[in-house]
Amino acid sequence: MERTIVSVHTADADERAQWCGALAERLGPDYDVRDGPAPDARYAVAFGAPEDFFSAQPKLEAVFSMAAGVDHLLRLETLPPTLPIYRLEDAGMGEQMVRYCRHEVEHRLLGHDRYGEQQRRAHWEEHPVQEPAQMPVG
């Protein structure tokens, strides 16, 4: 039986290697997971693909985005108009988004913008810290 080829592309070689290893382990022996574009690939997992990503892989049946969105794929001119694109549900980004949101909320609660502006003007004025209950987040 012929193995199904899956290509993996990210700009970072270490990240690519991690994805290749994890996919190969989970997909099993019926799949051949390759690092980078493969002419016979049926599926691709990608983030930050080069312009020729799709033309180099004409047999793709679907592509999976490992980013929070799919804009990085939609802007490629070689994207076949009928090729299905799937966004991976998490791909590790859930925790990243939590950290980013937590940082932004704390940044505003503690008045970092105000203190940063004061620092640029070489001025110091203490301001009361806003309590989390005073700042609803939606």
Side-chain angles (χ1 to χ4, degrees):
M1 181 174 155
E2 188 175 313
R3 293 175 21 161
T4 301
I5 298 172
V6 177
S7 70
V8 176
H9 180 81
T10 68
D12 182 272
D14 291 336
E15 182 180 41
R16 222 173 28 252
Q18 288 176 355
W19 273 90
C20 286
L23 284 171
E25 180 182 321
R26 285 169 181 81
L27 292 174
D30 293 338
Y31 292 84
D32 178 5
V33 180
R34 306 238 178 119
D35 183 338
D40 291 334
R42 287 180 52 198
Y43 303 102
V45 179
F47 175 67
E51 184 60 44
D52 66 344
F53 185 72
F54 296 110
S55 58
Q57 303 181 105
K59 297 181 181 180
L60 286 179
E61 295 176 18
V63 62
F64 298 84
S65 171
M66 61 174 79
V70 297
D71 291 352
H72 64 103
L73 297 170
L74 295 176
R75 71 174 131 252
L76 297 177
E77 292 181 16
T78 59
L79 171 66
T82 60
L83 182 68
I85 298 175
Y86 299 92
R87 185 183 64 80
L88 296 176
E89 184 61 28
D90 185 359
M93 284 171 289
E95 182 59 32
Q96 269 183 315
M97 293 301 288
V98 167
R99 287 194 317 263
Y100 176 80
C101 291
R102 186 173 51 232
H103 165 80
E104 287 299 313
V105 169
E106 290 175 356
H107 185 86
R108 288 176 186 8
L109 281 173
L110 297 173
H112 284 238
D113 288 338
R114 187 181 332 180
Y115 287 122
E117 179 57 35
Q118 285 182 193
Q119 183 179 25
R120 284 187 282 284
R121 294 181 313 184
H123 171 77
W124 173 252
E125 180 183 339
E126 191 170 359
H127 301 280
V129 174
Q130 189 175 8
E131 293 299 320
Q134 297 172 302
M135 185 182 199
V137 176

